[in-house]
Amino acid sequence: MPLVQIDLERSLAERLGGQISDGIHQALVDALGMDPADKFQIFRTHAPGEIVFDPAYNGVDRRELISIQIQMVHMYDVTTKWAMFDQIAKRLEEIGIRNDDLLISIVENGFEDWYAGKSRN
């Protein structure tokens, strides 16, 4: 059950939030083989100036920043994670979001670190 947290400017969320949500979710389904019903996302919207970033870090032309943090169980190899990053970037590019404006990170933990409304018995 990945938990996806997306930080972005409020105006972008208002314009494209649903499409961003769908694109990220479909990328996780495709790249990770995730159950399509396993959708948990938190959008955190910000006013202009609340997201601070270096526009040229890592040799890119960053115009805005969309931060996508994915918390998930440590069970995927590097190739699978890279495929997930590529799928997210591809799907968001299809709705007009530039790859250079994305910052995607993964935070991993174990199965024992999750509770999703059911007993562990």
Side-chain angles (χ1 to χ4, degrees):
M1 180 188 89
L3 172 61
V4 181
Q5 299 176 67
I6 303 116
D7 286 272
L8 69 169
E9 281 202 12
R10 188 167 292 113
S11 63
L12 182 59
E14 289 168 355
R15 276 192 346 268
L16 296 174
Q19 291 174 288
I20 292 169
S21 172
D22 291 345
I24 293 170
H25 184 68
Q26 191 59 52
L28 295 178
V29 170
D30 292 347
L32 303 179
M34 190 178 80
D35 179 345
D38 188 357
K39 186 175 188 178
F40 294 88
Q41 299 177 343
I42 299 171
F43 277 75
R44 295 184 294 224
T45 61
H46 302 272
E50 289 184 352
I51 299 176
V52 178
F53 58 90
D54 185 317
Y57 176 77
N58 204 29
V60 301
D61 175 27
R62 191 169 291 106
R63 299 177 191 163
E64 63 184 330
L65 182 68
I66 301 162
S67 172
I68 303 168
Q69 185 178 60
I70 303 164
Q71 185 173 355
M72 61 188 195
V73 172
H74 181 76
M75 60 187 269
Y76 300 101
D77 62 28
V78 171
T79 303
T80 301
K81 292 175 193 177
W82 286 348
M84 181 194 67
F85 293 150
D86 292 343
Q87 280 290 318
I88 291 170
K90 175 185 167 220
R91 291 189 177 278
L92 296 185
E93 185 176 47
E94 290 171 357
I95 61 169
I97 295 175
R98 301 169 64 250
N99 292 338
D100 284 355
D101 295 334
L102 297 176
L103 177 64
I104 307 171
S105 65
I106 295 173
V107 176
E108 295 178 306
N109 54 22
F111 287 102
E112 69 277 8
D113 298 316
W114 292 85
Y115 178 83
K118 280 193 169 184
S119 171
R120 287 171 281 290
N121 295 333

